[in-house]
Amino acid sequence: MSRQLHLNLFLMSRGHHEGAWRHPKSNPKALTDLNLYVEAAKIAEDAKFDGVFLADTLAAGNSSGLASSGSLEPIVLLSLLAAHTKRIGLIGTASTTYSLPYTLARQFATLDHLSNGRAGWNIVTSWAPEAGANYGLQQNLDHADRYKLAEEFVEAVDALWKSFPADAIIDDREGGQYLDVSRVTPANYQGSHHKTKGPLNVPGSPQGRPVYIQAGQSDAGRAFAARWAEAIFTAHMVKDTAKTFYSDVKNRAAAYGRRSEDIVVLPGISAAIGSTKREAEQVWEELDALTSTEVGLTRLSARFGGHDFSHIPLDRPLTKDDFPDPNSVEASKSRVVGYVDMTLREKLTLRQLLRKLAGARGHFALAGTPEEVADVIQDWFESGAADGFNVMPPIINSQLELFAQEVVPILQKRGLFRADYEGATLRSHFGLADVQQENPLAKSA
């Protein structure tokens, strides 16, 4: 079989544009209504998407009241989505900065069982002063230290997931033996930041363990992804940077003895779709008209570590001096570099920058007919920029439905995307190899 695209739904409330919550074509259900998420997940599943992904934030966010806020906890929500779907993968975000390995290992192993092998963990190295305060941290870790912590965290979770293999359960009612205790071994993980004895009290799950997913793009993030990631959610506003990232992270993975196909790279794509290009462009215009400058400035400031942009005239082209040094920013360094490069390259004013970021937030955005959107997807896929895409509909459900019902059939007709699921697990959807259940770190307590 020829190489196949992977499509993942990045599910965000009523849509990925800041103005989506106000748009008349967005789902009117409350952001706390389970059916808001069930409906979108079923649209994606009917279109044979690989997975549905939930991001997460650990702070209340914008306090102006002019933007939608409040988000449900992803692991709990995905557990409910598992009961309302059958085949689509279920990917949740959890932080290595504000979590404990044993707790997280239990939660995702449980989700993998409840979904019959459809779970994935999006590994994030969170940074936000508000989140740190919520967890009682007096001082947030810098960028490099967060990745050192993350390495230990994933090593610990990995050891825990291997400590109780599924085949240790005999469940011999007649013979009276439930467990082969020789197969269960303590993790005995000892790191500078994390220590856990184990074993885990949840047995190995249907796909061995949940799929490792990661989204960092800095040098430290790429090094981390090369070792651990099986799927990467990445953000690129142009194809050239996507190609550079794609080849770099695949080459780095080879140093760990991994094959190119061991990692699926999925850039974000936010497509406004219409029967004509002009109709599609009007979708962005309608959404932009529903945004708040105050909200945009607040979010831009947060991206740049609290830098104040409010004194800059909205309609003057921005210069390099209007931005802080990206190396001084402790949030997503690669993302802010992309923002600055795009601004200077396109000679954007502050108002124009805010509108660009109101939609795709640094991901690739476009407007076009279903055929034009499919052409772009095929081009990126065939030119070594992507293995597929993290689909970010600007409006849910209307734009998601257009993508699923108009773009996907074109990709299927071109032989680029599956007509039906071939396997039952997220690992099989992504074409990933089975994982080994033995725990190399295990040793007698």
Side-chain angles (χ1 to χ4, degrees), residues 193-224:
H193 302 280
H194 290 293
K195 298 177 175 61
T196 183
K197 183 175 183 295
L200 197 64
N201 60 354
V202 182
S205 54
Q207 56 180 348
R209 60 157 171 76
V211 175
Y212 288 134
I213 296 152
Q214 194 259 355
Q217 295 186 154
S218 65
D219 188 66
R222 296 183 192 201
F224 182 89

Side-chain angles (χ1 to χ4, degrees), residues 341-352:
D341 288 347
M342 173 188 68
T343 299
L344 300 181
R345 181 177 64 250
E346 300 182 20
K347 298 180 174 59
L348 299 178
T349 65
L350 181 56
R351 190 189 305 276
Q352 290 169 328

